[in-house]
Amino acid sequence: MSWDQRTALVTGGSRGIGRSIALKLAQQGIAVAVNYRGNTAAAQETQDLIRSHGGQCALYPADVSDADQAQSLVNTVVKDWGHLDILVNNAGITRDTLVLRMRMEDWDRVIATNLTGVFACTRAALRPMLKQRFGRIVTISSIAGLLGNAGQANYSAAKAGVIGLMRSVAREVASRQITANVVAPGIIDTEMAHQMTPEAYNQLLSQVPLGRAGRPEDVADAVWFLVQADYITGQTLVVDGGLVMD
């Protein structure tokens, strides 16, 4: 089956990195199901952008932190398109503060969306992928999951968690020609990054060897690379301009 016969689901695909990933996949001929939680206007902009480039796109509202909604989301995509070949777990939120000031609801909400939501969507997507003996799962983590980040204990924990989750998934389903990988972006020029104070943003940017923030398209390119890769699974591809070097 060629790529123009494949279907992808991108969670949190209405803006930022998710929008760029959805557009990148659509440009390869892949039909893209764009999930979003509440910003209908932004989701519509993504759909219009994809269609203006000749791509196929449909919108699917759902809160992926709710396991029932995640399952229903996948079921609807499979019903509408006939199959689901690619899942990109991109939906994520932040609730930043220092550990001693962090409320349990701040912890719980970030873990629910950024970690439990990835689990729920992955579990739901695996059922059709196992039947068809093909699948690509790419999850967006962060360098915060590799390094930790002051003021982001909840976010860092969730982003570290998805790395372990994808490694476990990769081992469980490799025999069915399903791969599971992670992309860990560094500082990317998105609305979320600019929620940082200018001082913190510039201080972090000064540590990037390539001397600039990444673009959402840089992350999308990495996702597309992993979607195409037949012999890469259980890996974390860091897209950070050299900020983290093992």
Side-chain angles (χ1 to χ4, degrees):
M1 187 181 291
S2 60
W3 291 116
D4 61 7
Q5 296 174 292
R6 301 291 188 184
T7 299
L9 169 60
V10 180
T11 69
S14 64
R15 54 193 176 137
I17 290 173
R19 176 181 288 179
S20 290
I21 293 168
L23 178 59
K24 183 70 177 184
L25 297 179
Q27 289 173 332
Q28 316 311 315
I30 298 166
V32 181
V34 171
N35 158 256
Y36 66 101
R37 188 175 66 177
N39 195 334
T40 303
Q44 188 63 59
E45 288 178 9
T46 299
Q47 184 179 56
D48 292 344
L49 178 63
I50 289 172
R51 288 180 173 176
S52 73
H53 284 78
Q56 300 180 70
C57 177
L59 304 180
Y60 295 84
D63 181 352
V64 298
S65 69
D66 182 310
D68 290 337
Q69 290 191 47
Q71 183 65 62
S72 179
L73 168 64
V74 169
N75 290 348
T76 304
V77 171
V78 173
K79 179 182 177 182
D80 289 351
W81 298 95
H83 47 91
L84 176 59
D85 308 292
I86 301 157
L87 170 65
V88 181
N89 291 302
N90 172 73
I93 62 170
T94 57
R95 297 287 187 274
D96 295 350
T97 191
L98 297 174
V99 169
L100 288 177
R101 298 176 183 173
M102 187 173 291
R103 301 173 300 171
M104 284 308 303
E105 50 263 41
D106 295 329
W107 172 271
D108 290 341
R109 186 58 186 161
V110 170
I111 295 297
T113 299
N114 297 16
L115 179 56
T116 305
V118 172
F119 168 76
C121 289
T122 299
R123 183 179 62 175
L126 280 176
R127 292 187 173 97
M129 289 180 179
L130 286 167
K131 289 180 181 178
Q132 66 197 21
R133 302 183 72 88
F134 177 88
R136 298 285 186 264
I137 301 171
V138 183
T139 296
I140 306 303
S141 178
S142 167
I143 60 168
L146 300 173
L147 298 178
N149 199 14
Q152 288 191 315
N154 47 6
Y155 184 79
S156 298
K159 291 303 186 180
V162 299
I163 293 173
L165 172 60
M166 288 298 105
R167 288 175 177 171
S168 294
V169 170
R171 290 185 183 278
E172 288 185 16
V173 300
S175 64
R176 295 297 184 94
Q177 303 307 305
I178 301 169
T179 65
N181 291 291
V182 173
V183 174
I187 183 167
I188 306 297
D189 190 10
T190 63
E191 181 180 326
M192 182 179 289
H194 288 289
Q195 291 175 1
M196 302 168 64
T197 65
E199 294 79 13
Y201 181 87
N202 291 328
Q203 193 277 333
L204 186 59
L205 191 61
S206 70
Q207 300 176 48
V208 178
L210 285 180
R212 67 169 177 88
R215 299 177 295 265
E217 294 80 6
D218 295 321
V219 182
D221 287 344
V223 170
W224 173 230
F225 167 75
L226 290 173
V227 167
Q228 296 177 87
D230 284 326
Y231 202 59
I232 299 174
T233 195
Q235 301 301 311
T236 299
L237 178 56
V238 181
V239 181
D240 68 346
L243 183 58
V244 177
M245 294 191 189
D246 291 332

